[in-house]
């Protein structure tokens, strides 16, 4: 306190931020506090439900035990494999669709502002729709099943892959590309020998990362009819077969962890 | 092609060997795609019959029906509340968890349990976690809040741990050498180094929670998702379309706000700067983009 007083006596006060910056920060803090307070006051919590939560949790675990591992070979394994296929095929399809859009979105590759904007709009709309909503739409079109799930995963991933790939292209240093154009290289050669080697690590890392996310996401698509292990989970839930739910949850956990280990290993090898 | 493969089996130059693997991988990939498509019952006929169906489906989707506005607004507000509370709780809880999981600050007997918590929280999709919480605390928004809190702990916790593990230990040692307590070391040595990245994770998670809070309703955990799924199952496609438009608008507003918060805290921008920059606001890069 004494030092502040001394500084003020000196006629100068050192502050880290300008008044406008402080005001902006204050507005954000205020908005956060207001949002939290309003949410707590208006959110609907049913006290009776909350009161018997411990009882319900105990009941949940009692019903889950013993875990019905015998159900795995007959009811879970095939669905689990289907989930992995959905995630992989969906990721491949999304890469196929997203790479051209990413190229169109990169300002240094396609110097037409209108095309860039259009491509970015496609990418934003793909990302703004949740994969479960995409799944609902495709179930409406193609009917329930793995096809709807695969397309949902692919369409949700386009935005993610396209955006990151486009940004990687934009960040590629222009030196090698200028050297190639100076030598008279056509567009295709500039792409394969100028851009591709520079964005290759980013590309693989984006693809692997998205596959990892898609393994998690494809596990829930079945809840809305998108195929895979979610269907098995949904039917076990509807029949209150909690010991089967338990085995399905364990299976999902194991697959997700294995996928993450696989991604880390592959990344270490190729990057 | 086979000639090249044969050539590579000889002790040939490196240049040839590098040429073969992409081709082998491409063939393997193609074989996999064909196999997986056959397994998933994905065929051209199904796609064709679906596309014929699509025009019918889209005709029923439009025009969107905003007549049940009360239901729509109520669901959206509940989703918003879920997202706000889950993000707040998640951020507050992920700080200690992330800190405990950092290997450069904590002994192994602390990091391992914390890491296990993070892995568990990250492994399940929020909607699956919501199923468990619906059973535990009943239908309604509370289950959604808890499910998204778990997701937030997993995501922010992991990235926060990685951020802490990458800090420079010089500053930590400097603070420690003055005889500072552990809390002071954290406040003055560790947190200033990770603060801007933490803002990035937190705003990203708010964004992500907003997206997922519109979905957890599918399993009964509150928010607009329940209304959406019910309308879908009743073939009220024009109402589905209205809900989707509302959700997308909400998410886009959320994204703009998150960008603004990042600009204010990371780039020290002011509100005036933000208004001036307007539509050309540059997104601050954060961990998820890496």
């Amino acid at each position: 306190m004494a030092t502040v007083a001394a500084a003020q006596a000196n006629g100068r006060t050192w502050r880290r931020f300008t008044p406008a910056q402080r005001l902006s920060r204050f507005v954000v803090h205020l908005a956060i506090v207001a949002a939290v307070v309003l949410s707590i006051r208006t959110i609907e919590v049913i006290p009776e439900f909350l009161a018997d939560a411990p009882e319900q949790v105990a009941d949940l675990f009692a019903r889950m035990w013993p875990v019905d591992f015998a159900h795995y070979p007959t009811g879970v394994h095939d669905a689990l494999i289907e989930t992995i296929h959905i995630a992989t095929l969906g990721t491949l399809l999304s890469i196929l669709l997203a790479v051209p859009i990413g190229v169109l979105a990169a300002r240094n590759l396609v110097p037409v502002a209108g095309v860039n904007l259009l491509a970015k709009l496609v990418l934003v709309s793909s990302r703004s729709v949740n994969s479960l909503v995409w799944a609902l739409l495709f179930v409406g079109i193609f009917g329930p099943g793995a096809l709807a799930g695969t397309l949902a995963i692919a369409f949700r991933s386009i935005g993610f892959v396209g955006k990151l790939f486009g940004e990687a292209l934009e960040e590629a240093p222009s030196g090698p590309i200028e050297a190639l154009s100076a030598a008279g290289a056509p567009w295709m050669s500039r792409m394969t020998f100028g851009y591709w080697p520079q964005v290759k690590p980013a590309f693989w890392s984006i693809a692997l990362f998205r596959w990892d996310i898609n393994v998690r996401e494809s596990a829930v698509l079945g809840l809305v009819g998108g195929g895979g292990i979610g269907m098995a989970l949904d039917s076990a839930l509807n029949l209150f077969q909690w010991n089967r739910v338990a085995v399905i949850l364990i299976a999902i956990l194991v697959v997700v962890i294995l996928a993450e280990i696989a991604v880390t290993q592959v990344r270490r090898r190729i990057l | 092609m086979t000639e090249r493969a044969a050539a590579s089996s000889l002790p040939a130059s490196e240049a040839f060997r590098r040429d073969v693997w992409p081709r082998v991988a491409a063939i393997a990939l193609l074989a996999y795609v064909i196999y997986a498509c056959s397994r998933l019952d994905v065929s051209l006929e199904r796609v064709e019959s679906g596309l014929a169906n699509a025009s019918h489906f889209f005709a029923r989707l439009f025009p969107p029906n905003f007549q049940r506005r009360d239901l729509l607004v109520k669901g959206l507000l509940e989703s918003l509340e879920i997202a706000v509370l889950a993000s707040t709780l998640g951020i507050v809880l992920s700080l200690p968890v992330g800190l405990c999981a950092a290997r450069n600050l904590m002994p192994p007997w602390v990091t391992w349990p914390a890491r296990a918590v993070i892995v568990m929280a990250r492994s399940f999709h929020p909607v699956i976690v919501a199923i468990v919480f619906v059973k535990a605390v009943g239908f309604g928004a509370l289950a959604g809040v808890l499910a998204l809190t778990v997701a937030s702990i997993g995501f922010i916790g992991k990235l926060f741990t990685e951020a802490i593990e990458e800090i420079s230990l010089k500053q930590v040692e400097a603070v420690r050498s003055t005889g500072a307590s552990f809390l002071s070391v954290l406040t003055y040595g560790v947190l200033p180094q990770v603060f801007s990245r933490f803002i990035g994770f937190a705003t990203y998670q708010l964004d992500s929670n907003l997206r997922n809070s519109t979905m957890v309703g599918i399993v009964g955990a509150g928010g607009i998702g329940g209304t959406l799924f019910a309308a879908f199952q009743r073939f009220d496609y024009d109402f589905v379309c209205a809900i989707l438009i509302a959700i997308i608008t909400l998410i886009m507003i959320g994204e703009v706000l998150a960008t603004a918060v990042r600009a204010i805290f990371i780039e020290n921008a002011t509100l005036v700067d933000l208004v001036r920059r307007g539509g050309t606001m540059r997104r601050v890069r954060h961990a998820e983009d890496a």
Side-chain angles (χ1 to χ4, degrees):
Chain A
M1 243 15 236
T3 52
V4 173
Q8 273 164 349
N10 224 355
R12 310 165 99 178
T13 315
W14 291 94
R15 285 185 193 273
R16 192 171 161 200
F17 299 116
T18 63
Q21 285 174 340
R22 263 177 291 149
L23 180 71
S24 309
R25 283 167 184 248
F26 176 72
V27 168
V28 174
H29 288 305
L30 191 71
I32 293 171
V33 172
V36 171
V37 170
L38 272 179
S39 303
I40 290 176
R41 291 181 63 158
T42 50
I43 201 159
E44 225 176 324
V45 175
I46 301 162
E48 290 84 9
F49 280 1
L50 194 58
D52 75 349
E55 224 173 287
Q56 290 291 334
V57 175
D59 180 53
L60 176 69
F61 283 109
R63 281 167 189 258
M64 277 184 170
W65 197 261
V67 178
D68 188 6
F69 282 113
H71 183 57
Y72 180 81
T74 53
V76 183
H77 183 76
D78 285 347
L80 198 63
I81 299 294
E82 191 174 276
T83 296
I84 297 170
H85 284 321
I86 290 174
T88 314
L89 274 185
T91 311
L92 288 175
L93 185 59
S94 80
I95 291 172
L96 206 65
L97 297 170
V99 166
I101 302 177
V103 169
L104 290 180
R107 270 168 300 186
N108 53 346
L109 270 171
V110 183
V112 188
V115 176
N116 296 152
L117 202 68
L118 201 68
K120 284 201 172 124
L121 195 70
V122 171
L123 297 179
V124 167
S125 39
S126 152
R127 278 184 301 136
S128 300
V129 178
N130 198 298
S131 51
L132 279 164
V133 174
W134 278 119
L136 277 178
L137 291 180
F138 285 116
V139 167
I141 295 173
F142 296 104
L147 178 60
T150 310
L151 289 174
I153 288 287
F155 274 72
R156 170 63 182 83
S157 308
I158 288 176
F160 182 93
V161 177
K163 174 178 184 274
L164 295 185
F165 188 63
E167 282 175 0
L169 284 173
E170 280 185 351
E171 279 165 17
S174 56
I177 291 106
E178 276 166 21
L180 280 168
S181 3
W187 190 82
M188 204 55 214
S189 303
R190 286 209 298 273
M191 288 300 288
T192 39
F193 301 110
Y195 283 105
W196 173 241
Q198 300 195 58
V199 298
K200 199 161 82 170
F203 173 82
W204 286 115
S205 124
I206 296 164
L208 286 171
F209 188 28
R210 190 65 219 181
W211 181 73
D212 190 21
I213 297 174
N214 283 345
V215 170
R216 281 160 226 248
E217 297 224 321
S218 59
V220 291
L221 295 178
L223 293 174
V224 296
I229 191 134
M231 298 269 227
L233 181 64
D234 195 36
S235 56
L237 275 173
N238 289 338
L239 300 170
F240 299 107
Q241 291 167 328
W242 285 100
N243 48 2
R244 289 191 175 180
V245 172
V247 74
I248 293 170
L249 291 184
I250 292 172
I252 294 175
L253 181 68
V254 170
V255 162
V256 166
I257 291 175
L258 285 181
E260 196 164 341
I261 293 172
V263 164
T264 325
Q265 289 299 324
V266 172
R267 198 190 288 251
R268 196 172 293 162
R269 294 273 159 74
I270 66 172
L271 293 184
Chain B
M1 198 139 122
T2 43
E3 285 162 9
R4 282 204 171 185
S8 76
S9 65
L10 299 170
S13 67
E14 283 292 307
F16 281 104
R17 252 177 67 193
R18 292 175 87 193
D19 232 359
V20 170
W21 283 113
R23 281 153 203 271
V24 173
I27 292 170
L29 202 64
L30 194 68
Y32 168 77
V33 169
I34 293 168
Y35 163 75
C37 283
S38 71
R39 230 194 118 124
L40 294 187
D41 197 23
V42 174
S43 62
L44 269 181
E45 298 134 57
R46 269 201 75 186
V47 175
E48 268 169 31
S49 72
L51 289 182
N53 204 1
S55 60
H56 180 63
F57 179 73
F58 281 109
R60 289 184 54 190
L61 222 48
F62 291 98
N65 177 358
F66 283 100
Q67 274 173 355
R68 274 172 284 177
R69 198 174 295 144
D70 296 346
L71 206 60
L72 191 67
V73 172
K74 189 169 165 284
L76 279 179
L77 279 180
E78 197 172 47
S79 284
L80 203 59
E81 287 163 6
I82 292 174
V84 167
L85 290 179
S87 306
T88 315
L89 265 177
I91 289 167
V92 169
L93 291 174
S94 66
L95 272 169
V97 174
L99 204 61
C100 287
R103 286 201 183 109
N104 53 351
L105 294 180
M106 296 288 175
W109 59 269
V110 180
T111 58
W112 280 110
R115 277 168 182 267
V117 168
I118 290 172
V119 167
M120 281 295 285
R122 262 165 49 79
S123 293
F124 291 113
H125 193 279
V127 173
I128 294 183
V129 181
I131 293 172
V132 175
F133 279 115
V134 166
K135 164 71 180 154
V137 298
F139 287 102
L142 185 62
V145 172
L146 293 175
L148 292 180
T149 303
V150 169
S152 309
I153 293 174
F155 183 80
I156 307 180
K158 174 172 189 269
L159 294 176
F160 191 48
T161 305
E162 284 170 3
I164 293 177
E165 284 177 348
E166 283 166 15
I167 62 170
S168 148
L169 282 175
K170 287 176 184 164
Q171 297 169 43
V172 178
E173 275 165 27
V175 178
R176 203 176 272 156
S177 66
T178 63
S181 67
F182 184 67
L183 209 64
S184 299
V185 171
L186 285 186
T187 331
Y188 299 105
V190 178
L191 290 184
Q193 295 193 53
V194 294
F195 178 72
S196 63
R197 293 189 66 187
F198 183 71
I199 293 289
F201 309 149
T203 47
Y204 179 84
Q205 188 59 35
L206 178 65
D207 215 37
S208 155
N209 280 347
L210 194 58
R211 284 157 206 261
N212 282 321
S213 71
T214 59
M215 287 300 116
V216 287
I218 288 178
V219 293
I224 188 90
T227 321
L228 173 70
F229 197 43
F232 183 82
Q233 285 187 319
R234 277 183 283 135
F235 304 107
D236 269 347
Y237 286 145
D238 49 354
F239 189 39
V240 167
C241 186
I243 297 173
L244 288 185
I245 292 172
I247 290 178
I248 292 170
T249 316
L250 183 73
I251 288 169
M252 287 194 169
I253 294 173
E255 206 164 308
V256 170
L257 287 180
T259 316
V261 170
R262 274 198 285 271
I264 286 175
F265 279 94
I266 299 176
E267 297 176 3
N268 293 326
T270 64
L271 292 173
V272 184
D273 292 339
L274 294 183
V275 175
R276 210 173 283 155
R277 276 196 271 174
T280 58
M281 231 174 346
R282 192 169 58 85
R283 275 191 71 124
V284 178
R285 308 291 306 279
H286 45 78
E288 190 73 346
D289 292 0

